Amino acid sequence: MNAPSPARTSSPAAQLRTLVKVAGDSRIRLLLSLGRRLAMPVYRASFLAGAVGSGLLRLLERQPADVAAIARELGVREDTHRLRVWLDVGVRLGELSCRDGRYALRSRYARALARPGNDALAGALQEVAHFHHPVLRDAPAMARDGRAFCLGDQDGDIIARSSLIVRPFVEEAVSRHLVRDRPVRLLEVGCGTGHYVRHAARLNPRLTALAVDLQPEVAARAGENMARWGLADRVRTRQGDLRKLDVDERFDLLTLHNNIYYFPEDERTEVLGRARELLAPGGRLLLTTSCQGGSPALAALNLWFEYADFGGPLPHEDRLLDQMREAGFADVGASRIVPGEQFRAFTGTRAPDAH
């Protein structure tokens, strides 16, 4: 029986001819360009989103760690092999480094996202990975099959953190419209983390507030934050839907930040009418929201809500102003609060009752 022939190695001349042929193939050049310019950023963003959500970045921001320490921190009890494979992908992507079996943060993005002060940026990246990417990928199949996202498909914690990316601009709008020389009763609808209520409470020490959120876990987190911030005696938190909110008091200021699109477009006049009913005569509405016609990020956000079985598309500025008037608000107006972006503050007043 003859022995198998040894594998032949291509000669340098043959390898050169292959390289020349590949270099001249436009499809190969396109493939390489797609990998470098499109696929690689997706890989990096996906890894970083997972590293944020798992707590890896927070761990490695404190100090480098080996697989055993990382597994303990991430709650991986047995399958450390697959965890190591994932970490090694992060090394290949350039987000992590590994020396003597200890992993550390390497890229400027990984180091930046690990900082507590950049949590809103980390949340925004997670929002892209968890929500925007799936709807961009699956929209045709969902339209074909009649499928839709539901509220349970959202991670309320991610959304609450991500929405703080516009925090400086929303806080400026709150500062502009909050009365500070007398007690104020504030109702915040869709309170998220509660940061905007905290900002208002700092500006007016005599302010009291009711903060509500549609998602129970988000409302619970806001309550924990109020206790941690020393505001539990001034701010009540609860789960609730503005349309069904049962309260006896009337408020001087009602705020809705980043959430009017959680209500269907044809129900927004009714929602705004309910908001007006909860205001005392002379009370003010402050509504901040992304609008139609913005950046690709806002277009992706709008797409997600178009494919959801709740809420509706981002509002058109003129239509939302009309709905506020239809709901009975006076002195209605809108202003851009994020330079270069379709993010606006809408205001209106409940006129004093006629005698």
Side-chain angles (χ1 to χ4, degrees):
M1 186 173 181
N2 296 328
S5 301
R8 294 183 178 180
T9 302
S10 299
S11 67
Q15 292 177 353
L16 180 60
R17 287 195 297 271
T18 300
L19 288 174
V20 171
K21 182 178 180 180
V22 167
D25 190 328
S26 60
R27 293 170 299 179
I28 297 297
R29 294 199 304 271
L30 178 59
L31 176 63
L32 295 174
S33 179
L34 285 173
R36 183 175 65 256
R37 296 181 180 275
L38 290 181
M40 188 59 67
V42 172
Y43 296 153
R44 295 183 66 187
S46 298
F47 178 83
L48 286 171
V52 167
S54 66
L56 175 70
L57 296 190
R58 290 193 299 272
L59 168 64
L60 298 185
E61 196 269 340
R62 297 194 296 267
Q63 61 183 8
D66 60 18
V67 171
I70 293 171
R72 286 194 299 272
E73 181 77 11
L74 274 55
V76 178
R77 296 184 178 181
E78 297 180 0
D79 201 350
T80 59
H81 167 72
R82 290 198 298 175
L83 178 62
R84 184 191 297 275
V85 173
W86 176 69
L87 292 167
D88 288 343
V89 171
V91 174
R92 295 294 299 273
L93 290 171
E95 305 304 334
L96 306 179
S97 63
C98 183
R99 185 174 182 180
D100 298 328
R102 293 166 64 82
Y103 294 87
L105 302 177
R106 179 182 177 186
S107 75
R108 66 187 181 96
Y109 294 117
R111 293 194 298 270
L113 293 171
R115 299 183 193 120
N118 288 336
D119 186 61
L121 294 173
L125 177 63
Q126 287 180 281
E127 181 179 348
V128 170
H130 285 255
F131 310 126
H132 296 187
H133 177 250
V135 71
L136 288 166
R137 180 195 63 210
D138 297 338
M142 293 179 69
R144 181 194 64 212
D145 300 337
R147 291 185 288 118
F149 296 111
C150 65
L151 187 61
D153 291 318
Q154 277 200 355
D155 184 316
D157 181 64
I158 290 177
I159 296 300
R161 290 165 47 233
S162 174
S163 68
L164 293 177
I165 199 75
V166 292
R167 177 178 170 181
F169 305 103
V170 174
E171 287 185 347
E172 173 60 27
V174 172
S175 300
R176 192 181 314 135
H177 295 284
L178 178 68
V179 174
R180 309 186 199 185
D181 59 358
R182 61 180 182 271
V184 168
R185 297 161 296 177
L186 167 67
L187 171 60
E188 178 140 308
V189 177
C191 62
T193 60
H195 276 88
Y196 299 130
V197 177
R198 181 193 193 189
H199 176 69
R202 283 175 167 175
L203 293 176
N204 185 335
R206 293 186 286 175
L207 176 142
T208 57
L210 171 62
V212 302
D213 200 279
L214 193 60
Q215 295 179 273
E217 68 277 11
V218 177
R221 178 69 61 83
E224 293 169 0
N225 286 341
M226 295 306 162
R228 183 162 55 88
W229 296 332
L231 292 173
D233 60 332
R234 296 171 57 194
V235 181
R236 294 169 291 143
T237 59
R238 59 185 279 194
Q239 186 275 335
D241 184 328
L242 171 62
R243 294 164 292 189
K244 304 174 183 177
L245 196 60
D246 184 16
V247 292
D248 295 327
E249 62 184 311
R250 291 298 176 261
F251 299 88
D252 305 301
L253 178 65
L254 190 151
T255 54
L256 296 101
H257 300 304
N258 308 305
N259 59 21
I260 190 62
Y261 38 83
Y262 280 77
F263 303 99
E265 187 172 23
D266 60 0
E267 296 179 14
R268 290 174 189 169
T269 299
E270 177 186 353
V271 168
L272 292 166
R274 178 57 179 153
R276 180 183 175 276
E277 291 174 358
L278 291 171
L279 286 169
R284 297 275 288 171
L285 170 71
L286 171 61
L287 184 158
T288 60
T289 183
S290 303
C291 295
Q292 294 281 345
S295 66
L298 293 192
L301 175 65
N302 180 69
L303 180 68
W304 200 95
F305 277 91
E306 288 279 12
Y307 275 74
D309 65 3
F310 66 97
L314 300 185
H316 292 274
E317 178 182 353
D318 291 344
R319 176 57 183 144
L320 187 54
L321 288 170
D322 288 341
Q323 289 175 318
M324 291 176 65
R325 296 186 186 99
E326 292 166 10
F329 281 99
D331 303 323
V332 170
S335 59
R336 187 196 301 267
I337 60 174
V338 176
E341 185 57 284
Q342 295 300 322
F343 192 90
R344 283 170 157 65
F346 294 79
T347 55
T349 303
R350 177 173 180 172
D353 297 332
H355 296 289

